[in-house]
Amino acid sequence: MVKAIVGANWGDEGKGKITDLFAEQSDVVIRFQGGANAGHTIICDYGKFALHQLPSGVFYPHTTNIVGNGVALNVPAFMKELKQLEDGGVPMPHIIISERTQLLMPYHVLQDTYEEERLAGKAFGSTKSGIAPFYSDKYAKYGIQVCDLFHESLLMDRLKSVCAIKNVLFEHLYHKPLLDPKALFDELMGYRAQISPFVGDALSFVRKAMKDGKQALLEGQLGTMKDPDFGIYPFTTSSHTLAGFGAIGGGVAPTDLKSIVAVTKSYSSAVGAGDFVSELFGDEAEELRNRGGDAGEYGATTGRPRRVGWFDAVATRYGCMVQGATEVALTAIDVLSYLDEIKVCTGYEIGGKVVRDFPVTPLLDQAKPVYTTLPGWKCDIRGETDYAKLPQAAKDYVDFIEKEIGVPITIVSTGPKRHEITYRH
Ligand code: GDP
């Protein structure tokens, strides 16, 4: 059986904590998309870790952690993450990197950086980690699969043909130094030495695990709004952030995917550019940002301050629908305890009409939030483990959101730590 943990919004919903929770009961944890451009924050018995590419099962000796074929594998960043675990006293986890996973190349990072420079003010807010050029190359069939590292003459030929294309761009569009296929080849041989112990046939491993009745977890990065098809394109990422893509990027059979947990925060946050209808500004935003998350709303990978706002029921209803959510985990309800009143965005006003369906990007630009105001609870609920003991106003807030989004909220998280969790229903 496969369960997916995915984001209903713009990412940073607290998926890391929820995945960590479910990872305990899973035999296999699979990363199926994205790369080192975003991260989960996990606070466990070993301490606090920001995981970017490593699956969240790495803290449990009984799980096999799979870097799926849909991932953009940044080898130096991957090795750095492993080292951080080792330094933190975490025993060496069991990891399989799919032989079909593609490598994020040094020139992807360069290209991303040069392109952001070229676009200057019109940039899309890339983290400059090479993700967009990586996926462009993958679909243009210029990518390098991990298995290519073990076929040297084929690899050299591919590098020569990639460099011929890239060097036209680097010379004439970006006016930057040219790439040398031989230097890249040598670098890749270094990658091979580092990742060899982990490379394997992830697809067969996962399919066999399913046959043997094991539990697998698909771990999503970012959220619905960052999906290139259903998100706020072009202010999206370049890989699919949807549970359905787990069947491709994680190599699981679509029919094995039985449970989809969409994670959403009790307020909204987003990084990067693009319209964010319920965004707050000024002092109100500053206060929520500083109280949010475990140490303020700042990017786990980039340290960038996150944009924050009220809970957006329009975006979340859509986000859950697109994910095919079977249940919802609502995180960080403790953060709202300081507020006298809490607003929820229940509609968008577009051209004088109130709509409840999330619009396409050009219309999003015109949308004004329509709010319903609910009373706050004004007492500290951080760390509560019994849902029944939450103040009535907090439970009413959860009921209201559940009714708005139309998917059962089964988990309400009351703090960043593993045990700070309540179960509902
Ligand atoms: P992810 O990418 O979805 O895993 O989200 P991140 O880990 O980047 O961001 C979520 C932030 O919220 C992190 O700082 C978490 O430690 C924190 N967090 C998760 N759940 C809760 C919660 O219930 N309460 C509070 N206060 N913080 C939480």
Side-chain angles (χ1 to χ4, degrees):
M1 200 276 268
V2 183
K3 185 193 278 291
I5 315 289
V6 285
N9 307 109
W10 298 265
D12 308 317
E13 296 93 346
K15 294 178 297 295
K17 173 180 166 168
I18 304 298
T19 311
D20 177 51
L21 209 70
F22 284 111
E24 195 169 9
Q25 305 132 32
S26 303
D27 305 295
V28 187
V29 182
I30 310 169
R31 281 276 188 151
F32 64 94
Q33 44 90 216
N37 54 327
H40 290 319
T41 310
I42 293 185
I43 303 175
C44 63
D45 300 344
Y46 295 103
K48 179 173 164 177
F49 296 87
L51 296 183
H52 309 289
Q53 298 182 95
L54 286 175
S56 295
V58 289
F59 302 106
Y60 299 107
H62 66 272
T63 60
T64 299
N65 296 279
I66 298 202
V67 178
N69 51 281
V71 169
L73 179 64
N74 179 328
V75 173
F78 177 87
M79 296 312 295
K80 205 167 131 200
E81 245 177 88
L82 261 186
K83 175 86 174 53
Q84 276 165 4
L85 289 195
E86 197 188 329
D87 293 347
V90 181
M92 179 53 103
H94 186 217
I95 297 170
I96 302 177
I97 297 175
S98 165
E99 56 201 357
R100 292 177 186 274
T101 303
Q102 296 207 1
L103 294 165
L104 189 121
M105 302 289 287
Y107 50 73
H108 290 137
V109 179
L110 293 174
Q111 196 177 332
D112 212 353
T113 311
Y114 299 162
E115 183 61 12
E116 285 279 299
E117 267 173 42
R118 189 181 74 86
L119 290 172
K122 293 192 210 114
F124 295 128
S126 161
T127 56
K128 301 186 194 71
S129 41
I131 299 298
F134 168 91
Y135 283 105
S136 312
D137 283 1
K138 176 172 177 172
Y139 292 106
K141 294 173 281 181
Y142 306 140
I144 309 282
Q145 289 186 315
V146 164
C147 54
D148 297 340
L149 294 175
F150 303 90
H151 299 276
E152 293 178 18
S153 68
L154 175 147
L155 180 65
M156 193 63 207
D157 286 348
R158 289 187 66 77
L159 287 174
K160 281 184 189 152
S161 82
V162 176
C163 287
I165 297 161
K166 296 282 173 203
N167 280 342
V168 175
L169 280 181
F170 281 27
E171 183 175 0
H172 299 289
L173 184 65
Y174 301 129
H175 313 294
K176 299 287 183 187
L178 298 187
L179 297 169
D180 171 20
K182 177 70 179 76
L184 280 168
F185 181 86
D186 292 344
E187 187 148 8
L188 291 191
M189 287 302 106
Y191 288 3
R192 181 173 81 178
Q194 290 173 313
I195 63 170
S196 280
F198 308 112
V199 176
D201 179 358
L203 178 71
S204 299
F205 182 90
V206 171
R207 295 300 169 105
K208 180 167 184 314
M210 292 302 96
K211 241 188 179 157
D212 295 345
K214 306 266 196 219
Q215 301 285 324
L217 207 61
L218 285 170
E219 177 174 10
Q221 191 200 50
L222 298 167
T224 309
M225 300 304 156
K226 296 286 183 182
D227 183 76
D229 279 53
F230 292 105
I232 52 170
Y233 189 86
F235 306 104
T236 57
T237 193
S238 303
S239 69
H240 294 289
T241 55
L242 305 179
F245 186 71
I248 312 283
V252 306
T255 41
D256 281 332
L257 182 53
K258 303 290 183 212
S259 160
I260 299 174
V261 182
V263 185
T264 184
K265 235 170 359 200
S266 303
Y267 51 96
S268 299
S269 74
V271 284
D275 290 299
F276 172 8
V277 176
S278 64
E279 184 166 8
L280 283 169
F281 300 94
D283 292 348
E284 262 186 308
E286 200 53 30
E287 173 134 45
L288 182 54
R289 182 176 303 115
N290 288 330
R291 289 176 181 270
D294 71 303
E297 288 289 354
Y298 298 91
T301 302
T302 58
R304 288 195 285 191
R306 292 178 184 148
R307 300 160 69 190
V308 294
W310 299 116
F311 185 86
D312 185 337
V314 179
T316 311
R317 188 184 313 121
Y318 173 81
C320 290
M321 183 260 286
V322 172
Q323 291 287 9
T326 54
E327 57 187 294
V328 164
L330 183 71
T331 63
I333 193 158
D334 52 295
V335 170
L336 301 181
S337 298
Y338 71 101
L339 290 160
D340 293 321
E341 287 183 329
I342 306 170
K343 288 185 185 167
V344 175
C345 175
T346 49
Y348 291 171
E349 193 190 309
I350 300 174
K353 270 203 199 129
V354 175
V355 300
R356 285 172 58 81
D357 292 330
F358 193 76
V360 292
T361 309
L363 289 177
L364 195 58
D365 184 40
Q366 305 166 26
K368 306 252 172 325
V370 176
Y371 290 118
T372 299
T373 302
L374 300 169
W377 43 92
K378 299 285 283 182
C379 63
D380 187 11
I381 57 171
R382 186 137 174 180
E384 181 56 66
T385 53
D386 181 358
Y387 186 77
K389 291 200 182 130
L390 288 178
Q392 193 53 45
K395 288 191 272 194
D396 289 346
Y397 183 70
V398 177
D399 288 347
F400 184 82
I401 287 179
E402 182 179 66
K403 213 162 137 243
E404 280 292 317
I405 61 181
V407 182
I409 297 174
T410 53
I411 295 174
V412 177
S413 173
T414 57
K417 300 209 176 89
R418 200 181 257 178
H419 67 272
E420 294 173 329
I421 198 95
T422 69
Y423 295 92
R424 207 164 152 261
H425 291 299

